[in-house]
Structures are given as structure tokens and as C-alpha cells.
Amino acid sequence: MLDIEIDGKALQVVEGSTIIDAAHQLGTYIPHFCYHKKLSIAANCRMCLVQVEKAPKPMPACATPVTNGMKVQTHSEQAVKAQKGVMEFLLINHPLDCPICDQGGECLLQDLAVGYGASASRYQEEKRVVMNKNLGPLVATDMTRCINCTRCVRFTQEIAGLMELGQAYRGEHAEIMSFIGQTVDSELSGNIIDLCPVGALTSKPFRFSARTWELARRKSVSPHDGLGSPLIVQTKHDKVMRVLPLENEEINECWLSDKDRFSYEALNSPERLTRPMLKHGGQWIEVEWQQALDYVAHAFKDIAKNHGAAALGALLSPHATLEELHLGQKLMRGLGSGNVDFRLRQSDFSQDGQGTPWLGMKIAEIGSLDRVLVVGSFLRKDHPLIAQRLRQAVKRGAQVSLVHSADDDQLLKAHAKAIVLPSQLPQLLAQVVKCAAELKGVSVDAAITALAVSEKAKAIAESLLSGTRAAIFLGNFAQQHEQAATLQALAQLLAKITGANFGFLGEAANSVGGYVANALPGADGLNAGQMLAEPRHGYLILNAEVELDSARPLQALAALKQAATVVLLSPFKLPGALDYADVLLPVSPFSETSGSFINTEGRVQSFNAVVRPLGETRPAWKVLRVLGNLLNLPGFDQDSSEQVRAEVLGAATPTPEFVTDRLANPLSDVANNVANNVAIKLDAGPNGLERVADVAIYSADVLVRRAPSLQKTRDAASPAARMNAVTLQQCGVSAGQELRVRQGEGQAQLFAVLDAGLPDGAVRIAAAHPKVAGLAAMHGAITVEAL
Amino acid sequence: MSFQPILTAGLDPATGDATWHLDDYVKRGGYAALKKIFAENITPEAVIAEVKKSSLRGRGGAGFPSGLKWSFMPKAYAGAKYLCCNSDEGEPGTFKDRDLLRYNPHQVIEGMAIAAYAMGTERGYNYIHGEVWELYDRFEQALAEARAAGYIGQNILGSNFSFELFAHHGYGAYICGEETALLDSIEGKKGQPRYKPPFPASFGLYGKPTTINNTETFAAVPWIINNGGDKYLELGKPNNGGSKLFSVSGHVVRPGNYEVPMGLPFAELLKMAGGIRGGRRLKACIPGGSSAPVLPAEIVMECTMDYDSIAKAGSMLGSGAVIVMDESTCMVRALERLSYFYFEESCGQCTPCREGTGWLYRVVHRIEHGQGRPDDLDLLNSVTDNIMGRTICALGDAASLPVRSFIKHFAAEFEYHIEHKKCLVPPEVQKEGSKIYVRPSC
Amino acid sequence: MGALTAFFKSLFLKELFQGLAVTGRHLFVRKITVQFPEEKTPQSNRFRGLHALRRYPNGEERCIACKLCEAVCPAMAITIESAEREDATRRTTRYDIDLIKCIYCGFCEEACPVDAIVMTRIFEYHGEKPGDLYYTKQMLLAVGDKNEVQIAKDRAQDAPYR
């Protein structure tokens, strides 16, 4: 500990602290622009100059390490003169366009200019003008306002992992720009808007639409990925205008992925459903709620009476709230049907009844891991901020290994990578298990010991065993894999051998919540796959586009089309549903209802509505509750979402912050011979080509698909058939050529794209896009022919 | 005692361009110091002690004692350590390293090898200014010769000391002559100074301990080892050891590089350079490269050419670039040119320098072009106040010092300019002074 | 004593004559009654009457939707919505002043960085229905277009004191 005195106040700080750290500890504000707690120190704005005793000149507080006995004056004459001098320099070339600047009112330069700026400028020469840059559909630029603090540059380099911005040219001509002809395509790009201390980088979707002082700030929670980022939703006149991160060091730190930040645009989409609708003689008519709900109640009662309750099924979304999922399953079970599921993209359900998959640890602990194995995950796109945490861990010396079917650049230095066909993933993981077992001297199943071990598997096993805090995570791709259970068992076994933590990277905001709410079939019910494979008479769908969100879209569409009654609760007029549904009930998106999400680390986050429901939209939990009443089911008399939550989580107040005591990853209590309990299918898979399907970041759920700005990004490009050079040659096609892709009964027309990161024989086609909804499944054999 | 040149020993300007090769250098007694170290088993500590004794000070401009700098390198550091030679000579008026590399590259190589031995580094870089490409080429050839002869490379001269030396060229940015910007440039980044601390001795090239010295500093090392530090010190004045190359330019009859012992009176140096052209009078002199404050004739004529004397007079010896200005010089125009240089060469990283250098240039430009305002001189002084000491590197100071000193010593000329919208020095006199000067045969 | 004084005062009608004296004096001084609407009182160039939105001489509307007038309005009489126009400039899509709420304090004009919202000399306006005094952007621009000459003259006159 070092002693330091700031403005006459003594305190002790840890060694290696800078003056600004010490000042923050004391609550003393030192003006600054380039300094940011999460970024490296640049010391280039010079605004934080302070007087240090015995130093001949003012020192930058952000970069000057504290020495023992240091005496600092932050507001002495010398310090303030230096700060005022710097402010004058910053302002001489800064345009006086605060009235048209979106940063006006929340601008660091504006605020500090009040304290340190002069009322008139001594600079009477021509001001600098800098041409604006095109940074893509999310970030608007006014580069003349730039003060060259390089926060954005450091962000792209250090946090986002790829230096997409840089400072070109010298001296006064210096400007921040992206690579020539390139935009900023990071999935975290929106954060540079928050970081920019001036109005040089602003939000393009928000551009000129409101001023910060008009906006109400309300807390909410992101409904997208499993992280559940806390949000500040800014609203005006009951309209969501903008979304900002709510800082939480344990979840999102101070960042937000673009998906969480810009998906709000969908809330104001013209596709919003505002009144209940019934299909009458093939025509959609708008009706009153009462009429619509009566219709649904009658239809479900009829089906239950004529075909048995098992002819009903509920397909819920993992993006729905805990309360909605609970009431949804309660309604189905009340009707006597156990057919309820929220795991629409899962295709292997053989682990059902054995646990509640979750991360297995705190999100905040990811940064302190030193050995990580991620199995089957499009990490950056599926979990942008968890990828960011791993990236920082790698910088601190952690080894991250990847086992996957596509070698996407995760922008982190992977220790070892094994990229194999989806069908070979279990075998590869088994090789790692074998290797680890040998190194540890543990005996494993003979099926595993018989395997030949590849170099990569060996490297991964050695890495896992060499650390002190290891973790193995299964990503979305592994969870959606046809042999997901096998992968889980192997990963679990590997974790046991290596002493690593084992966990799942939750796919959606409520992937854990769905389990807690028991929105999945028990022994008597059908799961999502079965419900669609064995068509039902009536379906209740909550907030999902089943033909896109399902593991087998073709089958799903057929099942829904044949059904007598399909009831869709959705905030949107989903184009597919207009065809197969019979009743559309407008329910609130996350911004218009109260509810809770349980994120992948088991954290319960409840939120309130931030705006009034649009039109006649109603919160889904209320709709389900009234449906329950109309069906005369017991236990549907809740008056608030809190009461529904209490039903699920217990009435204890305050509601527990974590429900980790209810969570257990599958097979957690099975002993060492775990492999015997799972039939390890190590067959090589179908001959020929195999499909590798990712769910593209901006087609993952109903909301993001309707966010126009996100849909203009590169990540939202329409799917293509990606193959490596060998596969292309094998198929006799070349990159850029249009192909006919056949899978099962279905087909799609796509362009061939060369992707060197794929294994031989793999055809990567993104799922969850209307263009590929004709393909049978997210996995399995596929054929390709030139058109 | 007549002075025997050290750095330029045995070089003849007439034939110099052909005698830079290894053989010539060895004939002149080259590589003797390196051989001596291994033959006499001189320890690295002893080498550093000798350099300390010589009171050799960095010839790049700051004048930091070299022996002291070398002793900062962590001795027991496990891992790579680097040695860099700063030949990124970009300051107006400075051209000494250029000639050293042109006529005597092996001397620099030998100096670097000795320094590397003293500090236990196995890898070195010579960063050569991008605008003297042919010298970069020549240095590469010299390296090849030295490598073939075993003066650098693995197990130098049969010892168990290895030192690999590489040439690296910049693209002409002045800022890359700042030592940490130079390191960034070698690393392949945009050359921008780093904030110090940490200093290169603990966090330098690729984050490893690094020592950076000027070309001339390295070139002086072999002589010190051969003849002893004491002898070197005796050449000059106490605390200002040895000899120094002065690049004399401007209104002198024979501009060029002159190696003289430290402490030589300025008047003698001027005499060596043939005095002022055309019999005109000396008006002012910048004694240490464009970033040093200007000294008017009456002050500079009293100075001796060493670090302490020039500092006492209110300027800096810097890199030893003596820019001589005679009475035909318009000081406003001279300052405008200097300000423009710093405006162009600021790296743009930190605010005061990025914004301030442009402001300074524009105001001086305005004054020169007859649009000065009465309070412009106060404004200039105030702006330099706000730049100096507030920047990451010394370029901010370098841009401010000329402005301040020009205004301090030649205020009348500036005021005349502002008031009368024209030069105090008549245009025809200026024209006469800036005529292309044909050196009389000597 | 007091009662006696009061008696004599009322006896000689002193107060009555005092009052009549005032009346009499005013019979002869200059009359200041203005025959409105035939006659009008002089107005200051800072008169705060009906609002107007101004344009630049090239026809471009001045208002840049900075919303400072909306923020400063103590009566919350101004409602603005803004968006990016096709030429990428910041413009209002709605600029309404509810004249019934307005207290004519002139803060909006003070706050305006581009002299877009101004208060004219017009004070003779009325509405027959409640909505008539809710001025929209088009109405305000029309007021500005009609009175631009006078508005510009008034601003120019006042400029030295701003």
C-alpha cells in the first residue's frame, strides 16, 4: 500500500494505482476524456493534468503511477491553468454545433467546457473540417467534432478484438477512420457510441430523433442472449427511443452487444400486431379481445373433448418471460396435456429429466479462468459479451481451446482448435477425454480408450490439465446438435477428469427460466421435436416463428398447417403465421410487460414495463391468465406478474437473486462410469455432405429479425452455402455460383461461398432465415448441385 | 595540443565516399576496440565504467550521460533485451548522422556491438531516416560485410557473445526520432511517442528492456574503449567529454560537418566554417537544431560549444546543428518556416501539440503576411505556455521554444511586422542573402 | 376637536371641490385615449406578440430542431419532434405552440441559437374554437413568411444590445 495525499486528503492505495484511480477512490473528480476504466491508458487528451508536488510540470493523472508520499493538487492554480489550456486547444477546432449535435446534453466536452472553457475563443483562424466516415448502419459520424481521444480505436482493438478503427495521418490532419472501404462490423460496435466523449460517433438509428433531456430512463433486461444484459431503455411519449447499457460489473460490465442495443427498433415496427385477429373464411378480421379469447377457449375445449387433451401442444419461446412460460405450461397441463416445450431448436432430448442446464458458475468468474474449452459455439455471434470476457482472460494468460465445426475468427488467440464435421464432434471430444484420462491415470469406457488420438485433441487435453481454474462450456451449436446428449456426457466426463467447471452457454434470455418454470414435458408429454413430428390438432404458440425457430422447419410448417387450431400470441403479425394460424393475439414485447428472465448463470432479473402497451396489446401473462379463467382452470387468479413469479420462485421477499440451488447440469450426480450410461454413437455420419447451421446473430429471435438497422449490417447478410475449397471442388461448383441445395424433402437456392474455416464435407448454411426455411433440418446430410 | 578527430579520423572528404568499406575501416584501426574487449577479457561492467568515466553524453539532443543510461538496463533480466540506434535524423539543420553512416558505417556497427556487449543484449536495430534511402542500403551492405567477417552475428570473434544487428528504415517522419515513437515504428505501428514512465529501459521494444542511443554516441564508443575514458574526457571540458560533430549550416561560407572538441568557442567554429558569407554580419544562431532557442549574435559569440555553456546562455546544444543566420534574415519568416515544420511533423496524438502547433504556425504565418494583430505576440507566448510541459513527448516544447526565443530576442522585428505589415529587413537584402551561394574555391 | 374639523370640512364640500379640480384639470390636458383599431399605440421592437418561424433568404427554414425553446418554455407550450431529412440535416417534423398555454415570456426567442423562433409585433389574433390557437409549424412559418421584413428590421435594430 502506498500513501498519497490528494487535495490535502490522505489515503492509501494499492501499488500500481494511478493518480486518477486514487482520486476516484476518494470521490474526487478529475476531468478527463481519453481515460476509460476498461481501456488502456493513452494519456493523449491531457485534460487530467494535475499538480504533483516536486514535479516541475503538471502530470497526467490517468497515467502517472502513485509513488509513496506523493502529494497531488487537482484544483490548484497550476492544475486548473493546465486544464483550461488543454480545454482551449480542444475547443479551437471543435465546431460550435451543439444545437444540432445528438450528443448535446450528454456530452463530456460540453459539460467540461462549462467548467474549464472560456466564454470566447482566442482562435480566429479557420477551423478544421474532417470528412465523415461510413462506419456502417449503426454508427453515425461527425468527424469534425472528434477530439482524437482514441477511445473508439482502443475499444475495437482491446475489447472487440479487432482494430477496425485507427488514427490515420499526422498532427492536425490526424483523423479517426476505419480501413479504407470498410465499415465497423463488430457485434459490439455500438459501444463506441457510448465511449465517444463528444458527438463524433452517434447512434444512426437514433439520429436526430430526440434530445437526452426529453427521454425518461427506465431499467429493463435484454430479452436476447443468455447473458441478460441489464438495460436502460429511454422512452419518450410511450415510445422506446434508445437503449443503453446499465452498468453491472457482474453481467455486462459497461458494454452492450449491438443486438441488445439496437433491437428496440423492432418495438416500433409497422409489423406490430395491435388488435386481436381471427381468421374467418380465409380472411383475417380484427376482433375484440373477448371474442378472440372465447374463440380460443372453445377451440381448445373442443379439441380436448373430441381428440383428447394430448392433441394439444404448446410451443413457447425461450425469449418469453418466466411468468409467461409458467402460465403457458400451467394452461396446457390444466387442459390435461403435457405437451409443452420451449426448446424449439433442440433436436436431441434424450437427457430430459436429468437436470437444468446452466453456466455452472458466475459470469463474472469467466474472466479469472485460466483454461477454457468451448465446444460447439459460434462464440462471438452467439454470446458477444461472454466472448469478450474470454478475450480478456486470454490477454491475462488464459488458454482457450475450441472444438467446433466451423473455424470462425473469434478474435481471441485460441490455444488449440479442432474443427471437424458435426458428426465427428463426439468422437473428437472422446479423444480429448481419452487423452485427459491417460494423463490423469483415470480409467474410462473401452469405447473411448479404443480411439486413436489426434494431435489437437492431445493439445486440448494437456492445456485443460495444466491450469488451476478450468471450465468446459457447451455452446448453442453443441446444444442443438443431433447428439447433444453424447456431447454433454463427454464434456461432463472430461470436466470430471480435469476438475474443470462444466456449463452451458445459455442460448436465449430465458433458457434457464424455461426449466425453472417447468415449461417442458414430463414423462407424459411430448417435447418440441415430437410435437412437430407427430402433428397435433391444436397448437398454442408464444412469441415464436416456429417455421424459423425450429430445428426442423419443414416439418414444423407442415405440422402447423395441418392443425385445426393454431393460436399465436405475438407482438407481431408474423408473415408465416398469417398462413397457418387461426387466431393472432397481440401480446407485449419485453418493453411493455413486467416479468423476469433467468440468465445463464441462474440470476433472476425482474423488470417492469417501460412503456404502455401499443394499441390493444396486452401482457402475455395476463392473456394466459384470462384464458385459464375462460377454460375454468384452477389456479389462474393472479393479479400481478409478481404473484406469478412467486408461484414459480416462492413467495420469499425479496425474490432470491439467484436460483442456482435449483439448477444442476445433466448427469451431475452420475459417477465416474458416466460414459456407460450414454450410448456413445461414434459413427462417421452420413457419407457425402453434412450441414453446419449457425443461427445468425441478427436472425436469432422475433425481435431482431424486425430491427431494420441490424438487418442492414454485414452480419445480417442473407445465407449462403459456404464450403471450403475441397468441398467446392468435390461438388463441382465454384464460389459465387448459384446452387440448389437439397435437404430431406426441401430445397433452397443459394450462392456458393468459399469458407476456408470449414472441414471437408461440410456445407455451412445459416438457419432461421426465410430463405432457408425450405431446408429440412439444422443438421444432417445435404446435397448440393449447380443450377 | 592540436585536436585529433575521433569520429572522422582518417576520413578524407574527397575520397570518403569510396572508403566506407570494412577493409578501409580496419585499415583505419577499426574493430580494434571490439577485438580488445575479447582479447583482454574486459567485463561488461568495465566497459560501462569506462564510458561513464568518459562523460560521454547522448549526442541526439538531450545530452543524457550514456554510461548512466547503459547502467539502467536490468542485468539479470531473463528474456530478450534490445539495443537501438537512433539514426532518424530529421531535425532541420542536422546532418551529422547522415555523414557518419555514409563515410563510416562500420564505426557505428562496432560501437553498437560494444554497447550490446556491455548491456548483454543480443539484438539490435539501427533505425535510419527514410529520406536517406541510399544510406540505408549502404548500412545493409556494411552489415553484410561485418557479419561475414564475424564482427556481428553468432559468437563474435570466437567469444560466446552473440549480437545480431539489423537495419530498419522509417519513412521520414520527424517524430520517429523520438525514442519511443521509434520503437513503435520498429514494431510496425504508427510512430507515436509513448507516455513515460515506463521508460524504455524497463518497457521498450516489444515491451522488453531497450536502450536507444544516437548514431554519433555509438560512433564515439570504440575510441573510448581504445584510448580510455579519461582521455576522452580530457578532450573536452569537465562533464562535457570528448569531441562533437557540429553541422554548420546557413549563411556561412563553408557549411558542413565539423568535428571539434567540446568547449570550442563559437567564434572559432564559425571561423572554421569560413565565416559569414559576403562579409555580412552575424544576426543570430540556433546552436542545437531547430528545436533549440535562438541566440542573438552578441550572446552566441560569447559561448563555447558545450552542453553547459549553451544551456547557461539560454539555449540547448541539442544535436549540434548550428544554424547561422546573418543580417539578411527576416526573423519572422525564419520562424514561420520553423513553425510550419512542427505543425507538419506533430504526430497528432496529444491535444496541446496537435492543436497548438497549427495555431502557432497560423498566427506566425499571419504576421509574416501582413495580417498580424497587436496582441498576437502575447497570444503566441500564451499558446506556447499552454503547450510547453503539457505534452507526451518533447515535440511540444520543441515547437514552442523557437517561438518564444524568437519573440524574446527579436520582438522589435515582430512588432515592426505587425505595425507596418512588412519586413524590417528590406526585401532586396533578404533576396541577396538567400541567393544560391557558390562557395569560393579554397 | 377632530369632530369639529370634520364638520367644517363637510360643510364647505372641500373634498368635492378637490375632486372636481382634478376633473377640471383634465378637461384641458392632452388626451391619450387611442381610437383602436383606427389608431394604434407605438410598439417596441422587442414587442412580444404572436410567434413566428423564420426562414433564411434562400427559403430554407432556420429551425434545426435543437429543442432548446421546448426545454426552456416555462409553460410547456412548445412541442417538437425531429428527424433526419433526406439531405441528412436535422429538421423538425412537428413544431407546435399552444398559444393558450403560452405566457409570452420570450424565453423561446432568447434560447434560439439560429433566430428561428421569434415573437412578432402581432397581437391582434383570436380563435373561435379551442383548437384555433394551437399553432403548427406550417402556421408559424406562414406568420414568419408574411412578416419577415418587419421581423428582420426589428432584429437588426436590437442587434447592438444583444
Side-chain angles (χ1 to χ4, degrees), chain A residues 728-762:
Chain A
L728 278 174
Q729 204 182 5
Q730 185 192 327
C731 301
V733 294
S734 54
Q737 207 175 346
E738 196 168 15
L739 308 175
R740 189 182 305 283
V741 182
R742 290 180 199 276
Q743 196 187 21
E745 300 290 296
Q747 52 141 321
Q749 246 167 268
L750 301 167
F751 285 97
V753 169
L754 177 69
D755 184 343
L758 291 168
D760 293 351

Side-chain angles (χ1 to χ4, degrees), chain A residues 450-496:
Chain A
L451 290 170
V453 173
S454 70
E455 277 304 306
K456 283 169 183 166
K458 204 170 157 214
I460 293 169
E462 279 167 358
S463 161
L464 276 175
L465 281 169
S466 63
T468 53
R469 283 183 309 280
I472 299 167
F473 296 124
L474 292 185
N476 297 1
F477 186 74
Q479 294 166 47
Q480 292 155 4
H481 195 274
E482 281 182 305
Q483 287 152 283
T486 314
L487 286 174
Q488 286 167 27
L490 286 165
Q492 182 93 0
L493 181 60
L494 183 60
K496 188 154 273 177

Side-chain angles (χ1 to χ4, degrees), chain A residues 74-344:
Chain A
T74 62
H75 292 89
S76 66
E77 201 185 327
Q78 190 200 40
V80 172
K81 186 170 178 284
Q83 290 160 3
K84 286 191 169 173
V86 171
M87 178 53 82
E88 181 177 32
F89 284 132
L90 285 172
L91 290 177
I92 62 171
N93 277 312
H94 190 81
L96 275 173
D97 64 349
C98 301
I100 55 161
C101 177
D102 264 343
Q103 195 85 355
E106 52 182 358
C107 173
L108 202 53
L109 188 66
Q110 208 179 23
D111 293 349
L112 290 178
V114 173
Y116 298 92
S119 50
S121 177
R122 298 192 290 168
Y123 183 77
Q124 289 163 19
E125 328 313 316
E126 263 179 40
K127 286 198 172 207
R128 173 177 62 217
V129 173
V130 183
M131 294 306 285
N132 289 343
K133 313 287 182 292
N134 176 17
L135 300 188
L138 302 177
V139 183
T141 59
D142 284 283
M143 297 316 285
T144 303
R145 297 179 188 142
C146 176
I147 58 167
N148 285 286
C149 70
T150 67
R151 274 188 185 180
C152 53
V153 176
R154 284 174 283 146
F155 173 83
T156 57
Q157 194 174 14
E158 294 161 15
I159 308 293
L162 182 64
M163 192 174 177
E164 289 185 285
L165 288 170
Q167 189 189 33
Y169 308 128
R170 275 196 321 228
E172 218 189 60
H173 314 296
E175 40 187 281
I176 303 292
M177 57 167 74
S178 53
F179 285 95
I180 293 168
Q182 301 286 306
T183 51
V184 175
D185 299 323
S186 165
E187 65 286 351
L188 298 173
S189 68
N191 291 299
I192 60 177
I193 299 166
D194 293 346
L195 283 173
C196 185
V198 295
L201 305 175
T202 51
S203 163
K204 216 172 233 179
F206 177 69
R207 194 162 174 81
F208 299 159
S209 61
R211 314 254 16 180
T212 171
W213 58 78
E214 302 178 278
L215 300 172
R217 299 164 69 86
R218 307 219 161 102
K219 289 183 189 175
S220 190
V221 178
S222 163
H224 301 293
D225 62 24
L227 192 71
S229 298
L231 308 177
I232 290 178
V233 181
Q234 299 198 308
T235 64
K236 181 189 166 190
H237 301 160
D238 272 319
K239 189 177 163 195
V240 175
M241 303 299 287
R242 183 164 71 161
V243 168
L244 298 175
L246 174 63
E247 226 174 293
N248 188 332
E249 205 48 38
E250 292 176 352
I251 306 172
N252 62 333
E253 301 170 68
C254 53
W255 313 125
L256 207 53
S257 63
D258 287 357
K259 183 153 99 166
D260 296 344
R261 185 186 296 267
F262 294 108
S263 70
Y264 75 87
E265 278 191 292
L267 303 171
N268 309 322
S269 154
E271 278 188 75
R272 279 294 296 272
L273 181 65
T274 51
R275 292 196 65 189
M277 291 173 92
L278 276 181
K279 199 190 252 171
H280 188 77
Q283 292 294 312
W284 282 103
I285 47 167
E286 292 190 341
V287 295
E288 296 301 317
W289 266 107
Q290 190 61 44
Q291 197 182 345
L293 290 173
D294 282 342
Y295 179 94
V296 175
H298 274 116
F300 278 1
K301 266 191 224 161
D302 277 355
I303 292 171
K305 201 169 84 188
N306 299 336
H307 305 280
L312 291 170
L315 295 165
L316 313 176
S317 160
H319 300 278
T321 65
L322 184 72
E323 291 77 359
E324 291 160 6
L325 291 169
H326 172 68
L327 289 181
Q329 63 88 19
K330 197 172 180 184
L331 188 82
M332 271 299 131
R333 296 216 156 99
L335 283 165
S337 166
N339 308 336
V340 55
D341 208 344
F342 71 99
R343 301 161 301 175
L344 304 182

